[in-house]
Each structure stands twice: as C-alpha cells, then as structure tokens.
Amino acid sequence: MQKWIEILPMQYGMPTLIENKTLNDNIVLCKELGLNFIELNMNFPEYQIDKLEQTSDFYQAADEAGIYYTIHLDENLNIADFNPFVREAYLETVRKTIQVAKKFVELKNKYGEENQPLTINMHMHHGIYITLPDRKVQMYERDFAIYMEYFKIFRNSCEKWIGESDIKIAIENTEGFRDYEKKVIDYLLDSPCFVLTWNIGHSKATGEKDVPFIQGRKQKLKHFHIHDGSENPPKNHLALGDGEIDLADRINLAKECNARCVLETKTIEALRKSVKWIHKKKVAFICVHNSCRSQIAEALGKHLAGDVFESYSAGTETKPQINQDAVRIMKEL
C-alpha cells in the first residue's frame, strides 16, 4: 500500500543527453519539454572545463532560452588520489569549475529560484582495493588518516574558492557509500559549502542501503536526481512510472527540502515519458483503513484510467494488510 503525498510545483531540469551532440540540441529539448534547467555533465568532451570556461557562449545560449545550468563534475574526479600530480589536477578542475559556476549564478537567479543555490554535483571516488586470498582491502580504509587529510585540504580550498557565492557542492550517492566515505562526507557537510544530492534510482537499485544515512541528514538535501528503478533485478535510470519507487514521496521530500530535481534518464524517449508522468494528474482514493474500498478504487483507477491519471490510495488509520474481501471482489471483477 502506498502512502499518498501531494506532489507540489518545483524546479525540474534535465541532464545533458548522449543523443544530443550539441548544447543547442539540449536547450531546444529543454524548452520543448518546459523544463527549467540543464545539468552540464563534465563526463562529456563538449563540457570539459576548457569548454565551460567559454562562459559567455553558454551564458548567452541559456539567457536567450530563458533557462539556467547546474554542473555535474567528472565521475572520475578523485580528490584523494595518492598521486600528487593527479590530485592537484583534480583540485584545479574543481577550482576552475567553481569560477565558471559563479558566472552562472546570475542565470539561476534570473530563471530559477533565488533561494536555491547553484549546485555542482560530485561523486565519491571509492579508490582502489587490493585483492588478498580471502578478502579485498580498500586502500582508503587502510590509509584513512591520509584520505581524511586530503579531504581537509579539499574542504578548506572549496570554502576559499566559493567564498560568499551562492554555490554548493552536492555529494551524490551512487552504488552505496562506504563507511570511510560516510566519515568524510559528515566532515564535508559540517561546512556551509557542501550539501547532498539524493539519486533515488541509485538508492533503489542498491537496496536502499544509503537511505538511512541520507534521511538522517535531510537538512542538507538540496539536489535530487530523479529516475525510476527496481531492486530485483537491480535497475535504475528508468522513466518515471516504469519502476518500483514511491515517486510521490521522494519528489515531495525534495519540495520540503527546497531542492531542485534533475529528471536523470539517459534517453530522450525516457525523458519525454518522465515529463509526461510529472504532468499527469494524481488522484488519491481515501478511506479509513486503506485496506478495502480505497484499494479497490486505486486498482480500478489504474485499470480503467491509467492513461489519464495516476491512482493512489490512503487512509487515516491504515492497516498493515489488504482486506481479503477487496482481493476477492477484484478477482470477481
């Protein structure tokens, strides 16, 4: 049984899609779908830092379209790489990205919500492990003191580079935070420059293992990657409505946290379907226990009008099981 939670208006954006080979392709699609922003993905060659530093071109294209940008750092970015030359190169990439983001803040304020920061999304790099006959040893876990020291340098540097700008670095969950990463993330979140991104599809595909950690730091949630997913088999980046996630609950939490949402599907078709789902009317059927009448109404709504609206059921005093009379009646129908 699903808990009904109202979906409220908010800021929705799209990722840069591999099918779109130019910035203009993404902007045209963003406008067509009525979305508010594009998350520029630095894993793509066209959005590497040397390209993003041509800020005036990006700014003008977004300004003419009436949209703004957020930024997604390269997933290979490893702030704690043991190689000092690699580590310094990644730090310099972050510094330059922050400089670019400062020039995009005006677009965010003009076409988005001024009370939402411009986010730079980052993943936690797990580092390497050494395979022993009986186990695998994560090097960052073994050398945690060194790992933490590098992140102290990172936090101090970001605080200096961001200064008073309305920019936050948002740490995203992927396939599950390691214990040593959680300690570092808590250290970063103590700084006003760092927040969390909740990727709800990644959470679902990994058995929701990060949910207690994320929900325990709800006050730091400022960015969401929204796509559907399933646990068995594990899938994510599905179009909204194609998986098992209680999307209404997650999206309403984003609204509660004053967070924006990237509809992070990987294809144009899935993005179109997700936007259609967002705009689809949501209808709640409510009775006292949410175990019989409301369940029947929800099932009939999905069966008879699933192309018109999303059906949910709820109750004021919910019971843990569906009334067997409801099951019997639905079988008869």
Side-chain angles (χ1 to χ4, degrees), residues 1-5 244-246 249 285 287-296 298-299 302 311-324 326-327:
M1 290 183 288
Q2 294 198 43
K3 176 176 61 176
W4 169 253
I5 300 178
E244 305 166 354
I245 298 175
D246 187 345
D249 181 74
F285 299 97
C287 67
V288 176
H289 294 130
N290 192 23
S291 65
C292 189
R293 290 166 295 174
S294 58
Q295 290 289 324
I296 293 172
E298 178 187 358
K302 289 180 176 178
S311 296
Y312 296 87
S313 62
T316 56
E317 300 175 13
T318 58
K319 287 192 173 182
Q321 293 182 337
I322 296 176
N323 189 308
Q324 290 306 302
V327 177

Side-chain angles (χ1 to χ4, degrees), residues 41-43 48-49 71-81 86-98 120-127 140 147 151 154 158 161 169-171 174 181 188 194:
N41 191 333
M42 294 177 69
N43 291 294
Q48 293 297 308
I49 190 59
I71 300 175
H72 193 307
L73 288 165
D74 182 349
E75 293 174 15
N76 289 319
L77 185 125
N78 187 358
I79 295 305
D81 198 294
V86 173
R87 189 171 65 252
E88 288 300 320
Y90 280 135
L91 281 172
E92 179 64 5
T93 298
V94 174
R95 185 190 70 80
K96 289 187 173 185
T97 303
I98 290 171
I120 300 173
N121 200 74
M122 71 171 282
H123 290 191
M124 295 295 292
H125 196 292
H126 301 316
Y140 288 152
Y147 180 69
F151 271 96
F154 177 59
C158 289
W161 297 331
I169 297 178
I171 305 164
T174 52
E181 291 174 334
L188 294 176
F194 290 86

Side-chain angles (χ1 to χ4, degrees), residues 246-266:
D246 187 345
L247 296 167
D249 181 74
R250 296 294 190 253
I251 293 173
N252 204 62
L253 177 60
K255 176 66 177 178
E256 179 186 336
C257 295
N258 191 32
R260 64 174 63 86
C261 292
V262 180
L263 301 178
E264 204 198 24
T265 61
K266 298 300 186 183

